[in-house]
Amino acid sequence: MRKIAVLTSGGDAPGMNAAIRAVVRAGIYSGFQVFGVMRGLQGLIQGDWQAMNLGSVADIIHRGGTVLKTSRSEEFMEIKGRVTAYRNLQRAGIDNLAIIGGNGSLTGGWEISKLGVNVIGIPATIDNDIAETTSIGFDTAVNTVADAINRIRDTASSHGRVFIIEVMGRHCGEIALSAGVAGGAESILIPEINNDLREVVNKIKQGAKRGKLYSIVLVAEGAGSTYEIKEILAEQTGMDVKVIILGHIQRGGTPSAADRILASAMGKAAVDNISEGKRNVMMAGDCHNIEGVSLEGALNKNRQVRNDLVALARVLST
Ligand code: F6P
């Protein structure tokens, strides 16, 4: 019987459990034996996996995090670690590996595919920084940040304060841009665009002239030092400026319906691609259309900034 190992790797993302569930159940439906690997790529090196059955993934579709746990494996980044992992898979007769994770994890998958195992990538990272696809977890993180903006706006407007909210995304501004538009942030700073703080200062000052004594400035963590931005805005506007670092709450919570649907569809598509004999592909698309694209090709492409959202924010936020 053909075998599939499935793992989650890198920063966890809401929806990972829905993807695990789909790979296991679609795999069993299609006649595969499916094995769940613990703690991501490090679990491959340790040979730490167990056979999964339909009941193994019961009642997890709505849970954040990952029941298979995750890690960032330095050892796997070395060829010695990958050879150990590959030999473990060979000894177990496992020739297909489904990796649910972000850029770093899928890159590790591409590297071990060079040894002979068939790697199927399922993009899962709140950063949404992988080219050609929407990543699992992004929609939930955007909703979490949009909700936080609503709550902060209540107190900012009550006290007449400027709040700088720092969001995750590593070197990508996708969360800040989408959540900023959804939350009506007055200013959005992302690493993909050179940000001129004079524009932010002028917007705050113009608002004050109209009697709007508060502002929400959303800063992607890769766009610069949030505390330096705070000092500049406080000095140049004379306003009371506060900083909130949302941090890891963006990684938790029950996945949105959109993320559960995306994860379920990508997990099944991964099994279908294996059944069709596709090798070393990444599931790419959105809730409506998913296809297997070259894993290497996707990893070698840079994701383009959503200029449509940049333009929308410029027009609508005052
Ligand atoms: O890649 C997801 C992410 O949440 C990034 O946005 C963030 O910079 C990083 O992980 C944090 O990593 P860790 O959870 O290891 O602190």
Side-chain angles (χ1 to χ4, degrees):
M1 181 185 278
R2 295 189 64 198
K3 299 176 179 178
I4 300 172
V6 59
L7 62 84
T8 49
S9 175
D12 63 316
M16 279 187 161
N17 282 323
I20 294 166
R21 172 179 176 271
V23 170
V24 171
R25 291 194 170 174
I28 292 168
Y29 180 86
S30 301
F32 290 91
Q33 254 190 303
V34 186
F35 297 84
V37 182
M38 298 308 294
R39 286 179 308 286
L41 297 171
Q42 191 61 30
L44 287 183
I45 295 173
Q46 292 163 343
D48 187 0
W49 55 69
Q50 69 265 342
M52 306 286 275
N53 58 45
L54 297 177
S56 307
V57 289
D59 301 328
I60 67 169
I61 191 170
H62 62 292
R63 288 174 52 190
T66 162
V67 295
L68 292 178
K69 311 308 177 193
T70 184
S71 66
R72 297 184 193 279
S73 172
E74 295 297 323
E75 198 177 350
F76 196 87
M77 295 302 114
E78 304 295 328
I79 180 66
K80 183 171 176 289
R82 293 196 295 273
V83 168
T84 302
Y86 177 62
R87 286 181 177 152
N88 289 340
L89 289 168
Q90 272 191 313
R91 270 196 295 276
I94 297 174
D95 47 16
N96 299 288
L97 176 60
I99 296 180
I100 303 167
N103 253 316
S105 304
L106 299 187
T107 299
W110 168 243
E111 290 302 326
I112 196 173
S113 72
K114 295 174 185 172
L115 300 177
V117 65
N118 178 30
V119 171
I120 307 293
I122 298 174
T125 169
I126 65 167
D127 299 349
N128 201 42
D129 58 353
I130 298 175
E132 301 194 41
T133 187
T134 298
S135 290
I136 296 163
F138 174 63
D139 182 71
T140 304
V142 169
N143 281 292
T144 298
V145 174
D147 179 64
I149 293 172
N150 294 343
R151 296 167 186 273
I152 293 164
R153 185 181 295 282
D154 289 344
T155 181
S157 58
S158 301
H159 285 266
R161 288 167 168 165
V162 175
F163 273 82
I164 303 174
I165 305 173
E166 182 187 285
V167 298
M168 285 185 160
R170 205 181 292 272
H171 311 303
C172 177
E174 285 266 316
I175 294 176
L177 197 47
S178 290
V181 170
E186 280 71 22
S187 297
I188 305 168
L189 306 182
I190 60 175
E192 296 92 339
I193 292 175
N194 288 328
N195 298 296
D196 183 349
L197 288 184
R198 287 172 298 185
E199 278 183 36
V200 180
V201 170
N202 289 338
K203 193 173 281 189
I204 293 170
K205 287 181 172 176
Q206 292 306 317
K209 285 179 185 165
R210 301 196 312 269
K212 179 179 180 180
L213 298 178
Y214 71 93
S215 189
I216 303 286
V217 181
L218 209 57
V219 178
E221 63 181 339
S225 162
T226 304
Y227 285 98
E228 284 179 14
I229 293 169
K230 175 217 188 248
E231 293 308 320
I232 294 168
L233 295 186
E235 182 193 338
Q236 295 194 12
T237 65
M239 303 277 286
D240 182 2
V241 182
K242 304 285 186 189
V243 169
I244 293 205
I245 311 286
L246 290 185
H248 287 70
I249 67 162
Q250 297 163 89
R251 292 254 289 273
T254 184
S256 64
D259 268 332
R260 298 181 199 187
I261 295 167
L262 179 64
S264 299
M266 283 191 165
K268 179 178 180 300
V271 173
D272 292 346
N273 272 260
I274 294 171
S275 299
E276 293 157 14
K278 302 281 181 60
R279 294 186 65 79
N280 306 325
V281 290
M282 180 190 80
M283 298 305 100
D286 54 29
C287 290
H288 310 289
N289 175 50
I290 292 163
E291 61 174 339
V293 301
S294 160
L295 176 60
E296 183 185 23
L299 292 172
N300 287 333
K301 283 196 182 84
N302 292 321
R303 186 182 181 87
Q304 297 307 307
V305 66
R306 287 282 308 268
N307 287 312
D308 58 324
L309 290 185
V310 172
L312 191 59
R314 281 219 172 99
V315 168
L316 300 184
S317 59
T318 59

